[in-house]
Each structure stands twice: as C-alpha cells, then as structure tokens.
Amino acid sequence: MSEKKSLMHVFTAHEDDMVFEEPYNVSGRRIFPWPGAVEEPFWGGAWVDVAPGETSTAHHHDENEMFFITEGSGVMRIGDETRRVRAGETVFITPYQDHDLTNDGETRLRFVTIWWGGAEAIARERAKWAAVFEIDDPSGPVNSRVVAGVSA
C-alpha cells in the first residue's frame, strides 16, 4: 500500500524562522524555493519584518512588487513620494522605482512581499515554454499569437 501524499503544505514565518538580511536591513523568510512542497514559480515572495526605528535599505529592481502590510505601521517611500501605511494596506511598486519602508513605531512592521516579471523570471519562463513547444531559441522574437493565445 502506498503512502498518502499530503495535500497541505504549511509555511511558517514565526519570529524564530526569520533571518536577518543585511543587504536589505530587514529580517525575512523567503517563501521559495520550497523543497518538497511547491515547484518554484515565476514569481517570488517573502515574509519581512522591519524592526522598530529602522528603515529597509533603499533599492530598485526590474520586477513589479507588492507589499501586503500585516502588522504595524510606518512610512513607505517610492521615488520622491511618501505615504503612511499600516496593517491592512497593500502597496504596488513598479519596476526601477527606488523604494524603502521606515518603521517609526515601537513594534515590528511586518509585510508579505510578492515580486514578478523580472528578466530572470521571464528567461526561465521562456525556456520552459521553448522546451514544451520545441523552440530552438527561447530568447528570440516573441510571437504575439503564441503569447496571447489568439490569432493576429
């Protein structure tokens, strides 16, 4: 008799699961890779904590990104704009926009971040579909009929 494979996979991001990421000045737990549970998708995600009185390191990248604020409050900066954010709010960050998040409170500021659409993820996705459709050059020109799934 074969062993039943679990359908439920639980990912934890409790305080003792978090790892300080010096380049970003935050503690976090990246959701992927998630061995034995979920194949790595073409997007990334993490739970992130900004300590009281701290600011995440300003940075930008080629992905779209969303912050889902789950605990605490602070000041979000994207480019020259700032806005107070708090638990229950979602922030969308477009590619190449310098951004950081300041926790000006007395408790941790926690958020879930999801990012997608960067060059690395697109290259992996193109390579996957090139293999499926037996296309020789996954970096060649994009055929809009194939990508969109409709005739031009």
Side-chain angles (χ1 to χ4, degrees), residues 69-87:
I69 312 297
T70 62
E71 292 180 42
S73 64
V75 177
M76 183 78 216
R77 183 192 62 80
I78 302 174
D80 294 334
E81 295 180 50
T82 61
R83 178 179 167 168
R84 273 205 85 57
V85 294
R86 62 186 176 105

Side-chain angles (χ1 to χ4, degrees), residues 36-97:
V38 180
E39 182 181 331
E40 189 165 356
F42 299 112
W43 54 276
W47 286 85
V48 180
D49 291 343
V50 181
E54 295 294 329
T55 299
S56 65
T57 303
H59 65 284
H60 65 274
H61 38 70
D62 67 342
E63 298 104 345
N64 290 287
E65 187 170 23
M66 292 181 79
F67 288 4
F68 300 88
I69 312 297
T70 62
E71 292 180 42
S73 64
V75 177
M76 183 78 216
R77 183 192 62 80
I78 302 174
D80 294 334
E81 295 180 50
T82 61
R83 178 179 167 168
R84 273 205 85 57
V85 294
R86 62 186 176 105
E89 296 182 332
T90 303
V91 178
F92 176 70
I93 305 160
T94 57
Y96 304 106
Q97 296 301 311

Side-chain angles (χ1 to χ4, degrees), residues 26-43:
V26 298
S27 292
R29 175 124 194 252
R30 292 176 185 255
I31 299 169
F32 301 105
W34 190 347
V38 180
E39 182 181 331
E40 189 165 356
F42 299 112
W43 54 276

